[in-house]
Amino acid sequence: MNILVTGASGFIGSFIVEEALARGMNVWAAVRPTSSRKYLADPRINFIELDFGSKDSLKRSLSGLALDYVVHAAGATKCTDRRDFSRVNTDGTARLADALRELQAPLRRFVFISSLSVMGPVRERRPYTDISAADTPRPDTAYGLSKLAAERYLDGLDGFPVVTLRPTGVYGPRERDYFMMVQSIVRHTDFAAGLRPQDLTFIYVKDLVQAVFLALERGRAGAKYLLSDGRVYSSRTFSDLIIAELGRPWVLRVKAPLWLLRAITFCGEYAGRLTGRPTALNNDKYRIMRQRNWRCDIAPARAELGFTPQYDLARGVPETIRWYKDNGWIR
């Protein structure tokens, strides 16, 4: 079986490549010329450079591959110009799908890794209830809007075998955004924002990879599956587990009102534009942290895919912290 994994050098993509190799698949890993291949050292990997800015270039690169499966994990999560989200996440996805269709690739499944962020702040009234794929999406981030637009483009392609996954926050080894929390705790500060209670959900990267391959095997074309570990956490659970794994250092807990977070992310957004370097402290981050309800209904994924999460935070966080230590990210 021939499989193409886009975003292969990234956090999620590199784990997908490893699993595909473990299953004996012939793997094509799409990377940029400047991408690190640190986690793509297996000699069985076939590398391919794809230009998502040009459909004709994509067709030339993909011609003759006879792909059975595509997992589209490439995308932008941070940009200095919000228009880049659409350029990369929406237009790039559309060009890839169009190129595959025009090449008449014999695809069995095209798995698109979207995000729970496409749903936006729905069901925000307490008591919070699970967000469902049947709810009307109303994303309030540039990232969520671009992912939703990509979903809708794929949905409009007649006969295209797309299966969409909408994971909640993904964490695990190699991940850098949640790692910022680890770094903050190492420096003795645990920062949280918002005074109203917040229900959070997470999914460990290996569970997401499990869902990807179940979607390749069993996913219903046109379906959208929300994904988490099936549990709901308070805002302190994640940091409490990190603190425990770090040997319980002393930590100053700071719970800031949203107006202060807004000021911080506004400055971060402005600094990113000045330097040309996207930062995690941006306008999208503010809207994500402002959202209080991240519950999601994974029953369809359980029923249709056979998705069974193996990692709750109590198992996933220790494994993640061990990896950070073993690889020198923290001492």
Side-chain angles (χ1 to χ4, degrees):
M1 293 292 177
N2 294 327
I3 184 171
L4 170 70
V5 181
T6 71
S9 63
F11 162 51
I12 296 170
S14 61
F15 278 97
I16 295 171
V17 168
E18 287 179 2
E19 180 62 22
L21 291 170
R23 291 170 178 248
M25 291 178 156
N26 185 29
V27 180
W28 291 87
V31 296
R32 296 189 301 269
T34 57
S35 296
S36 169
R37 302 186 184 186
K38 181 177 181 180
Y39 304 119
L40 299 173
D42 194 300
R44 294 173 293 173
I45 297 173
N46 304 291
F47 289 100
I48 183 171
E49 294 178 6
L50 298 180
D51 176 10
F52 292 100
S54 166
K55 183 179 69 174
D56 290 338
S57 175
L58 287 168
K59 288 174 66 175
R60 287 193 296 271
S61 298
L62 296 170
S63 179
L65 290 191
L67 295 169
D68 299 291
Y69 302 112
V70 172
V71 180
H72 187 37
T77 58
K78 295 184 287 290
C79 298
T80 55
D81 185 337
R82 65 181 291 124
R83 292 173 295 185
D84 289 339
F85 284 109
S86 293
R87 180 180 60 81
V88 175
N89 296 340
T90 307
D91 299 341
T93 300
R95 292 188 190 102
L96 175 61
D98 287 345
L100 291 167
R101 282 165 56 84
E102 291 181 19
L103 289 170
Q104 298 183 330
L107 287 184
R108 299 185 180 192
R109 288 291 184 277
F110 180 104
V111 170
F112 178 52
I113 299 184
S114 185
S115 169
L116 186 59
S117 290
V118 305
M119 300 306 301
V122 300
R123 299 179 182 259
E124 285 283 276
R125 292 184 178 179
R126 297 182 66 192
Y128 304 135
T129 55
D130 287 354
I131 298 168
S132 162
D135 290 329
T136 300
R138 47 187 187 93
D140 62 349
T141 63
Y143 172 72
L145 286 163
S146 68
K147 283 289 193 177
L148 181 60
E151 287 188 18
R152 288 175 170 167
Y153 186 86
L154 295 172
D155 290 342
L157 300 177
D158 186 43
F160 194 64
V162 61
V163 179
T164 299
L165 302 181
R166 292 173 172 172
T168 185
V170 188
Y171 73 101
R174 308 174 193 167
E175 198 278 333
R176 292 189 176 275
D177 285 349
Y178 285 116
F179 177 62
M180 292 175 61
M181 179 185 291
V182 179
Q183 287 180 304
S184 179
I185 290 171
V186 167
R187 296 166 185 158
H188 307 292
T189 303
D190 176 26
F191 181 86
L195 303 180
R196 283 196 300 132
Q198 186 177 38
D199 282 0
L200 296 175
T201 52
F202 300 88
I203 185 169
Y204 191 61
V205 63
K206 292 180 182 178
D207 278 337
L208 174 55
V209 171
Q210 175 205 154
V212 166
F213 284 87
L214 288 170
L216 290 175
E217 296 167 4
R218 309 175 189 177
R220 177 170 47 84
K224 303 180 193 312
Y225 300 100
L226 278 57
L227 299 172
S228 76
D229 68 7
R231 297 173 181 261
V232 179
Y233 302 95
S234 71
S235 57
R236 277 188 53 165
T237 307
F238 196 76
S239 59
D240 284 346
L241 287 166
I242 293 171
I243 290 167
E245 288 304 308
L246 293 176
R248 301 192 181 278
W250 68 266
V251 174
L252 175 64
R253 294 189 183 271
V254 178
K255 194 164 189 177
L258 287 173
W259 64 262
L260 179 57
L261 174 65
R262 186 70 189 95
I264 293 170
T265 55
F266 177 83
C267 292
E269 181 95 7
Y270 184 69
R273 291 175 184 173
L274 286 178
T275 62
R277 293 182 176 182
T279 172
L281 295 173
N282 53 43
N283 291 335
D284 268 12
K285 186 67 172 180
Y286 165 71
R287 295 184 179 96
I288 288 170
M289 294 183 72
R290 179 181 65 182
Q291 186 169 323
R292 299 287 93 183
N293 180 26
W294 289 95
R295 291 172 172 261
C296 58
D297 178 15
I298 68 169
R302 290 185 187 273
E304 296 183 22
L305 302 181
F307 175 60
T308 306
Q310 301 298 305
Y311 288 83
D312 60 6
L313 284 184
R315 183 184 179 193
V317 169
E319 189 168 299
T320 302
I321 298 299
R322 281 196 300 273
W323 187 91
Y324 288 147
K325 290 178 177 178
D326 292 345
N327 287 270
W329 286 34
I330 55 174
R331 295 182 180 179

